[in-house]
Amino acid sequence: MRKLLILLAGSSVMCGCGEKCEGPPNAYETGVTLRLLRSADNSSLFLPGTGYYPDSLQLTDQNGQVLPLALPSFPRAAEVNFLLLQTSDRSALSQRLSRTYYLRFSATDQDTIQSEYELFNNDCNRPEFSTLKVFYNGRLLYEGGHSYGLEAIIYKP
């Protein structure tokens, strides 16, 4: 009888964890959405005549590796999306780390995105941010932890 109670108690704990672990944050699924707008009139940076083209955009890391970047769904849209951490970046837990990314608009125009963070394994054994700061050209965009996704408006001349 005692073994049966232990077995039942153990199975209820496992079932509870399954429900609890359905949707917790995972740092490697944290996306960044940037709305790229012209400072003159708040319109899309990619409108005709601006000199900016979504198919010219490129995101690279600090080592020069080209990273996936979701471009606007139609040429005049202003939003681009990317993952803050790449799955190949298996970072150590409980260490303050930083990453630098470059968003290249052309050969002569690039912006810098920096992130500073620390990861921990949550209750579901998934990496989660305990601290996170994101900067765009040195300007703080986000500070906090447990982020599900970041959105920011970026103005270009």
Side-chain angles (χ1 to χ4, degrees), residues 68-81:
L69 178 65
L71 298 174
S73 55
F74 57 95
R76 295 180 183 192
E79 289 185 358
V80 296
N81 303 289

Side-chain angles (χ1 to χ4, degrees), residues 17-128:
C17 182
E19 292 170 15
K20 183 175 157 185
C21 292
E22 285 182 20
N26 181 340
Y28 292 100
E29 295 173 358
T30 298
V32 176
T33 299
L34 300 176
R35 283 195 60 141
L36 302 170
L37 303 177
R38 295 177 356 147
S39 58
D41 59 7
N42 286 342
S43 64
S44 172
L45 189 64
F46 303 119
L47 288 176
T50 62
Y52 291 97
Y53 307 96
D55 57 350
S56 298
L57 281 177
Q58 185 179 62
L59 182 69
T60 59
D61 66 10
Q62 57 207 19
N63 300 319
Q65 180 180 355
V66 177
L67 302 173
L69 178 65
L71 298 174
S73 55
F74 57 95
R76 295 180 183 192
E79 289 185 358
V80 296
N81 303 289
F82 66 95
L83 292 175
L84 188 58
L85 299 176
Q86 304 303 307
T87 53
S88 59
D89 296 335
R90 289 298 173 193
S91 302
L93 299 175
S94 302
Q95 293 182 17
R96 184 162 299 278
L97 301 168
S98 64
R99 295 278 189 262
T100 303
Y101 303 95
Y102 302 100
L103 185 60
R104 293 196 166 111
F105 295 90
S106 68
T108 58
D109 186 4
Q110 93 176 5
D111 290 350
T112 304
I113 302 165
Q114 294 172 289
S115 63
E116 298 173 1
Y117 61 92
E118 190 171 319
L119 297 174
F120 73 98
N121 271 342
N122 60 26
D123 292 340
C124 300
N125 202 30
R126 294 180 183 146
E128 186 176 339

